[in-house]
Amino acid sequence: MSAPAVASTSPSTALADAAREIVEVGRFLSVRNFVPATSGNFSRRLDARTAAVTRSGVDKGELTEADVWALDIHAPPPPGSSAETHLHLHLYRDRPHVQAVLHTHSMVSALLSNLRKAEGELRLSDFELLKALGDNKTHEATVSIPIFPNDQDVPRLAARASELLAQRPECVAYLIAGHGLYTWGRSMAEARRHTVALEHLLTYELETMKVRR
Ligand SMILES: [Zn+2]
C-alpha cells in the first residue's frame, strides 16, 4: 500500500499558525511600549484572498488566538473588527508580496508625525539602521516615510494610502499624524524588524530635532 499523499496546509491550520505568530508579536511589541492601552493592530496573510487580523478592543500584549480572525481581503470587515482593518486589507490587495502588517502607536511615532505632518513625509538618511528597511544596502540612501493626516473615516484614509503607495513600490511604511506607524514585510519577521528599526530611526530624528532647537 502506498503512503498517503501529504495534505497541504488546511485553512484552519494556517489560521492557527498565523494567530500564534500574531500573539507572539503582540507580546514582543507590547513590552516595548509600542501599543499602549488597546491600541495597534496586526495581521498576517493566509492566502491570496484571506488574511488573519486582530479584532478590536484587546490589549495587544494579552492577545489569545481567538482574538485573531480570518477575513476576506476583498469584503467589508465584519462587526467587531478593528476600525483600522481597512488599512491592513488594502495592503494585501495592492501588494501580493506582503505577508504581514504591523501597526503601532508608540509615543515617538505619534509625536514626530504630528511635528512633521506639514511636510507630508519624513526623510531619513545617514543612519546605519536604514539597512534594516526593505532591500536597502547602505546608510547613504534616503528613505521617505509618507505622513498622512489622521482621519476617523478609515476607508477614506485607506484609499488615500493606497493611491500614494501605488506610486511608491519601494515604500515599506507610513505614518499617520498624531497616531502611529504602519509597516509591513515579506514575512512576519521582516515586518517586526521594520517596526523596531523604524521606532529607533524615529527616535533618532526626534532627538536630533531637540538638539538643533
Ligand atoms: Zn491606530
Side-chain angles (χ1 to χ4, degrees):
M1 194 173 145
S2 60
V6 175
S8 59
T9 308
S10 71
S12 59
T13 305
L15 175 59
D17 290 346
R20 270 194 294 276
E21 279 190 76
I22 287 173
V23 168
E24 187 182 308
V25 83
R27 294 199 179 114
F28 178 90
L29 297 174
S30 180
V31 296
R32 286 159 178 79
N33 264 337
F34 294 168
V35 281
T38 59
S39 69
N41 31 73
F42 315 129
S43 63
R44 179 80 165 89
R45 183 189 289 281
L46 296 173
D47 56 37
R49 293 192 57 86
T50 322
V53 189
T54 49
R55 72 174 178 89
S56 175
V58 187
D59 188 305
K60 301 307 176 296
E62 299 175 349
L63 287 169
T64 69
E65 292 173 27
D67 298 319
V68 179
W69 294 353
L71 303 182
D72 183 333
I73 65 174
H74 296 283
S81 304
S82 163
E84 294 183 42
T85 300
H86 294 279
L87 296 170
H88 291 250
L89 300 188
H90 87 81
L91 285 161
Y92 293 113
R93 288 196 299 269
D94 296 349
R95 298 187 169 210
H97 67 278
V98 168
Q99 292 293 326
V101 179
L102 299 175
H103 170 48
T104 47
H105 278 215
S106 68
M107 185 183 295
V108 70
S109 65
L111 291 176
L112 189 60
S113 57
N114 242 355
L115 288 167
R116 305 289 284 275
K117 65 184 171 189
E119 296 163 47
E121 65 172 347
L122 182 67
R123 294 175 70 78
L124 300 166
S125 56
D126 295 328
F127 294 123
E128 180 69 12
L129 205 44
L130 288 167
K131 288 160 62 180
L133 302 180
D135 294 322
N136 281 341
K137 299 278 191 292
T138 171
H139 68 283
E140 292 169 339
T142 296
V143 171
S144 166
I145 309 294
I147 305 174
F148 296 102
N150 201 11
D151 191 345
Q152 298 306 318
D153 184 337
V154 180
R156 180 169 61 194
L157 178 54
R160 188 176 293 156
S162 178
E163 187 180 347
L164 185 130
L165 292 174
Q167 318 301 319
R168 303 275 305 276
E170 81 295 349
C171 194
V172 297
Y174 62 78
L175 288 159
I176 306 173
H179 179 160
L181 172 72
Y182 270 84
T183 187
W184 49 89
R186 292 164 289 197
S187 63
M188 181 61 85
E190 186 177 67
R192 192 174 101 166
R193 190 183 81 224
H194 287 167
T195 305
V196 174
L198 282 160
E199 293 287 348
H200 279 76
L201 287 159
L202 298 179
T203 304
Y204 298 167
E205 193 67 22
L206 189 60
E207 292 297 318
T208 303
M209 285 176 75
K210 288 186 204 167
V211 172
R212 283 187 181 148
R213 278 172 64 112

